[in-house]
Amino acid sequence: MLQLFSVIVTEVAPTWDMAELRGRPAGPSVYSNPGLAHGDAQWSLHVLTAAEDGWLCKASLAALEQDGNAEYGARYSFSELFSCTPAEDPVHWGFKSWDDFFTRQFRDIDKVRPVGHRIVSACEARPYALQANVKAYDSFWLKGNRYSVMEMLDHHELAESFIGGTVFQSFLTLTSYHRWCAPVSGHVIEVRVVDGTYFSEATFAGFSSPIGPDPSGPDRSQVYVTEVATRALIFIRAPPPIGIVCAMFVGLSDVSTCDIAHRFRDGLPKPVYKGEEIGTFRHGGSSYCLLFRKGLRLSWVPGAMPRENARNVLVRSELAYGYTEE
């Protein structure tokens, strides 16, 4: 079964209208082979066309343009928003694989996503949860709504800095921009990629749930996956009053690739500037968390508040203001 599953994950690129494999009643012990990825080879180009189920069809481009234009009054086309070459390559628009398309870059990020003031959003994502006074360990297995810092951070030696602190979590949709940026300026002092599971969800969100299984697979398990899924940890030491921040990027479902930018993989500490690219997700929908130290007070922009029908907080836009009480 797992061999067949690996073939599906590594050799089948998703079409625009492909239904995702979700809601399977299996736990971490079953889907525990990390690192599988699809769509990063040239054979995946067959889904990058203007065919009805291709990612360059009118319906797909309309959805991508809606997310890409966000709150701006201007209405840019896909080719104006993102780096691509439809004139030179009218079939695949210059993309080398589906993953190349998925990790597309803005043509001029400083124009469409200028760096905001104070703490900024590290991803283009919808707010999901905000929790203060987080514990070292908590009973997320039962309720699914509590963060356990030590598990999230893989018992990293810096994890204790965040016990009693604050966790902010957002999730990315498939049509979102999937590259990460630094939420603050400072120095990257530690990084780690934690191998985890794929297609794992909490039991309370599965078939045993009294309201039925989560129709979107991981959506009700966002907190749960912060402790079991593949995730990248990037620790940044910012000037006072912010102090140490951990940006944690979490792969969901079939996503097990969290790609830290090459320049931050070794030779640390290294300076980093707010809004600078620090990595990218690959191959599918994802989630991310920002963890702040105990004692730091945070004032959030209205758009950062988790609620139903929340809109994306734009990458590099202002997210919060940090301060301490004297």
Side-chain angles (χ1 to χ4, degrees):
M1 173 185 170
L2 288 181
Q3 288 180 335
L4 177 60
F5 189 67
S6 294
V7 170
I8 294 172
V9 172
T10 58
E11 299 183 17
V12 179
T15 56
W16 164 243
D17 60 353
M18 179 181 287
E20 293 186 51
L21 175 61
R22 289 175 172 174
R24 300 297 189 265
S29 61
V30 176
Y31 298 132
S32 59
N33 184 5
L36 295 182
H38 53 212
D40 54 359
Q42 193 172 20
W43 57 259
S44 64
L45 282 172
H46 71 278
V47 302
L48 289 180
T49 70
E52 187 175 346
D53 62 350
W55 283 89
L56 300 178
C57 72
K58 290 183 179 180
S60 171
L61 293 178
L64 295 164
E65 289 167 1
Q66 181 176 356
D67 269 4
N69 281 292
E71 301 170 358
Y72 290 92
R75 185 69 186 178
Y76 297 107
S77 68
F78 180 90
S79 60
E80 291 171 329
L81 282 167
F82 300 104
S83 295
C84 57
T85 55
E88 292 83 353
D89 179 9
V91 178
H92 306 303
W93 291 25
F95 295 108
K96 305 304 181 185
S97 65
W98 184 81
D99 183 59
D100 187 33
F101 170 82
F102 181 77
T103 59
R104 61 194 173 275
Q105 300 194 54
F106 283 114
R107 191 174 291 277
D108 185 350
I109 192 169
D110 291 326
K111 178 180 179 180
V112 298
R113 298 295 187 271
V115 179
H117 299 292
R118 301 163 178 168
I119 300 167
V120 301
S121 178
C123 287
E124 191 113 330
R126 298 179 185 178
Y128 178 79
L130 177 61
Q131 185 179 328
N133 195 28
V134 290
K135 297 181 180 180
Y137 299 94
D138 214 330
S139 55
F140 80 98
W141 295 99
L142 299 177
K143 298 181 180 179
N145 60 356
R146 297 291 177 185
Y147 294 99
S148 297
V149 172
M150 298 303 292
E151 300 287 357
M152 293 172 71
L153 301 185
D154 195 38
H155 301 271
H156 194 284
E157 61 184 12
L158 294 174
E160 290 189 3
S161 302
F162 303 99
I163 297 171
T166 301
V167 174
F168 170 79
Q169 183 175 7
S170 289
F171 69 94
L172 293 77
T173 64
L174 196 58
T175 54
S176 296
Y177 179 75
H178 274 75
R179 292 179 177 267
W180 323 329
C181 79
V184 293
S185 294
H187 285 80
V188 174
I189 56 174
E190 293 275 352
V191 299
R192 176 183 294 180
V193 175
V194 182
D195 288 337
T197 64
Y198 55 74
F199 287 120
S200 179
E201 63 180 54
T203 54
F204 64 78
F207 287 94
S208 60
S209 169
I211 61 173
D214 182 353
S216 298
D219 285 5
R220 297 181 198 155
S221 303
Q222 297 273 342
V223 174
Y224 163 81
V225 297
T226 65
E227 304 179 28
V228 300
T230 295
R231 53 206 184 273
L233 312 177
I234 301 180
F235 295 90
I236 301 173
R237 190 175 301 281
I242 304 300
I244 190 169
V245 175
C246 180
M248 183 176 78
F249 304 94
V250 186
L252 299 181
S253 297
D254 55 335
V255 188
S256 292
T257 304
C258 297
D259 192 3
I260 297 173
H262 283 277
R263 93 173 194 91
F264 296 115
R265 294 181 187 178
D266 52 34
L268 302 178
K270 285 183 178 177
V272 66
Y273 300 96
K274 182 173 61 177
E276 179 180 354
E277 186 174 311
I278 56 176
T280 187
F281 289 115
R282 296 189 182 277
H283 313 117
S286 318
S287 184
Y288 92 98
C289 296
L290 293 179
L291 290 84
F292 298 94
R293 65 175 179 83
K294 180 180 180 180
L296 181 67
R297 304 294 296 273
L298 293 154
S299 177
W300 301 87
V301 300
M305 293 296 100
R307 64 185 186 279
E308 286 191 28
N309 302 317
R311 301 178 65 179
N312 277 351
V313 176
L314 304 186
V315 66
R316 310 209 306 175
S317 67
E318 184 174 352
L319 184 68
Y321 169 66
Y323 62 97
T324 55
E325 293 184 346
E326 298 297 336

